[in-house]
């Protein structure tokens, strides 16, 4: 059934299903239990996003349909309203074209709407990821243009509405706790995505120049946590990003070995995850309006990074 390391994948899937259920139970208990539930749910959701990434590359199950259904489940766990195949196709283009793709030009929109820009900047300053909410809203609005998209959004509204109704009925404050876990998930995903590429950014379907392998590796950065290796498990080793771009079909548990073989840890492409904390914090507002000038990746505290380039957006 499993394509590669059965025990590693079973452990991850078990953590996802068991952790989500336990996290919800902890939320409705309130008090200190709710705090533990928030942290557990945030971890589960972050890992679910990277498990979707593995499903999109077909590294978990032998059958394509099994990877697709696994991917759909992880999208539900992350609260994502987009279709698996559309997100998969968009991410594969990221590898093939060696470019990043935006849902829409949010910087241009915010330049045209100064009131909206001030509101979102204020939210981002307070660590409320309003830009992500705007991008997800735009993605959902565009999905309504197709019958499949409408059906998917109706399913999400009904299923998640039922979940939130039950949570609110059991403990009204659990809804706030769930929202906090969702926000923490977004920050976790952002932290990984923001500093992994200095690619050119394009609209989906637009013309992209042909870039070679050297361009790909030069503009790709690895931000795994060498001091806290356990954090790499939560992100399914996604921080070994140069290794991933060298062999996109390599499963998550084999990336550290390839990373060592490539010597990434001793190259300019390695930016230890903890060294990027300052830049992630300091440029959290300015990053919204970046249009190609990502700062200086050679100095972690001057690396502004990109926004809106998550593989969960379309």
């Amino acid at each position: 059934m499993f394509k590669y390391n059965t025990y590693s994948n079973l452990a991850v899937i078990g953590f996802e299903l068991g952790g989500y259920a336990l996290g919800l139970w902890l939320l409705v208990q309130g008090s200190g239990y709710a705090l533990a539930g928030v942290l557990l749910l945030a971890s589960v959701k972050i890992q679910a996003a990277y498990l979707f990434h593995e499903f999109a590359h077909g590294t978990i199950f032998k059958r394509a349909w099994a990877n697709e259904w696994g991917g759909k489940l992880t999208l539900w766990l992350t609260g994502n309203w987009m279709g698996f195949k559309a997100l998969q196709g968009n991410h594969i283009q990221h590898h093939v074209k060696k470019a990043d793709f935006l849902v829409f030009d949010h910087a241009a929109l915010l330049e045209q709407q100064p009131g909206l820009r001030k509101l979102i900047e204020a939210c981002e300053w307070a660590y409320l990821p309003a830009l992500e909410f705007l991008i997800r809203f735009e993605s959902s609005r565009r999905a309504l243009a197709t019958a499949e998209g409408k059906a998917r959004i109706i399913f999400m509204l009904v299923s998640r509405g039922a979940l939130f109704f039950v949570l609110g009925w059991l403990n009204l404050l659990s809804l706030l706790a769930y929202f906090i876990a969702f926000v923490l998930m977004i920050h976790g995903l952002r932290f990984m995505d923001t500093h992994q590429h200095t690619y050119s950014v394009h609209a989906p379907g637009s013309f992209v120049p042909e870039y070679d392998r050297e361009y790909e590796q030069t503009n790709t950065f690895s931000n795994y946590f060498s001091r806290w290796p356990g954090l790499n498990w939560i992100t399914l080793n996604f921080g070994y990003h140069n290794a991933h771009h060298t062999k996109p079909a390599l499963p998550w548990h084999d990336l550290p070995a390839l990373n060592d073989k490539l010597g990434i840890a001793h190259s300019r492409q390695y930016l230890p995850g903890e060294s990027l904390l300052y830049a992630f914090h300091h440029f959290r507002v300015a990053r919204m309006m970046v249009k190609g000038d990502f700062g200086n990746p050679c100095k972690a505290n001057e690396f502004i990074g990109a926004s809106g380039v998550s593989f969960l957006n379309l």
Side-chain angles (χ1 to χ4, degrees):
M1 183 179 184
F2 286 102
K3 191 173 183 179
Y4 296 106
N5 193 311
T6 299
Y7 296 109
S8 295
N9 290 329
L10 274 175
V12 169
I13 292 173
F15 174 72
E16 286 299 301
L17 299 178
Y20 193 79
L22 177 58
L24 294 179
W25 182 84
L26 289 169
L27 291 191
V28 301
Q29 303 310 304
S31 189
Y33 290 102
L35 176 60
V38 167
L39 296 177
L40 177 57
L41 272 180
S43 300
V44 166
K45 285 175 169 291
I46 289 170
Q47 191 178 80
Y50 294 112
L51 186 54
F52 159 80
H53 175 256
E54 294 297 312
F55 284 126
H57 280 285
T59 64
I60 303 296
F61 295 121
K62 294 180 180 179
R63 305 293 183 184
W65 65 264
N67 283 303
E68 180 177 349
W69 279 101
K72 289 179 177 179
L73 174 60
T74 56
L75 289 176
W76 191 92
L77 291 175
T78 61
N80 192 286
W81 301 58
M82 296 299 97
F84 173 81
K85 288 186 176 180
L87 286 172
Q88 180 189 43
N90 196 50
H91 181 66
I92 297 304
Q93 285 300 302
H94 165 73
H95 283 279
V96 173
K97 298 292 187 180
K98 302 173 181 58
D100 277 323
F101 298 94
L102 292 178
V103 175
F104 69 109
D105 191 345
H106 58 264
L109 172 65
L110 295 179
E111 286 176 345
Q112 298 167 6
Q113 303 287 338
L116 178 61
R117 176 176 176 176
K118 288 181 180 179
L119 174 61
I120 292 183
E121 284 180 340
C123 290
E124 293 286 348
W125 178 87
Y127 288 94
L128 185 64
L131 180 62
E132 187 73 22
F133 298 153
L134 176 64
I135 292 173
R136 290 192 173 214
F137 172 79
E138 179 65 17
S139 295
S140 300
R141 187 185 68 80
R142 296 187 180 195
L144 288 172
T146 66
E148 180 185 356
K150 289 178 182 177
R152 186 171 59 251
I153 288 175
I154 290 173
F155 169 75
M156 288 294 288
L157 286 171
V158 172
S159 61
R160 301 195 76 78
L163 171 65
F164 296 148
F165 174 81
V166 172
L167 286 177
W169 178 63
L170 293 173
N171 186 336
L172 191 59
L173 287 178
S174 67
L175 295 177
L176 175 61
Y178 192 98
F179 177 73
I180 294 173
F182 179 74
V183 168
L184 289 176
M185 176 201 74
I186 291 176
H187 284 307
L189 299 181
R190 275 183 165 185
F191 181 78
M192 297 303 295
D193 288 332
T194 292
H195 297 113
Q196 288 186 329
H197 289 291
T198 49
Y199 277 175
S200 60
V201 180
H202 304 267
S206 63
F207 171 77
V208 179
E210 289 190 15
Y211 296 115
D212 58 19
R213 179 59 62 88
E214 181 181 358
Y215 171 89
E216 179 178 25
Q217 288 295 317
T218 301
N219 289 278
T220 299
F221 301 90
S222 297
N223 55 346
Y224 55 91
F225 295 88
S226 57
R227 296 184 186 179
W228 302 297
L231 292 178
N232 296 319
W233 185 77
I234 295 299
T235 63
L236 296 186
N237 293 328
F238 196 68
Y240 294 89
H241 213 61
N242 289 85
H244 171 58
H245 272 260
T246 299
K247 291 187 176 181
L250 193 70
W252 64 275
H253 41 75
D254 290 342
L255 290 174
L258 178 58
N259 182 80
D260 291 342
K261 183 178 180 180
L262 295 172
I264 298 300
H266 306 291
S267 72
R268 68 180 291 274
Q269 307 311 124
Y270 176 47
L271 303 173
E274 60 271 25
S275 71
L276 297 167
L277 288 171
Y278 172 80
F280 183 72
H281 154 77
H282 185 70
F283 299 113
R284 65 190 185 280
V285 177
R287 187 177 297 120
M288 292 169 31
M289 306 302 290
V290 167
K291 292 185 175 181
D293 183 9
F294 302 109
N296 184 4
C298 295
K299 294 184 179 180
N301 63 345
E302 298 179 8
F303 193 0
I304 300 172
S307 62
V309 294
S310 171
F311 55 76
L312 289 180
N313 291 330
L314 177 64

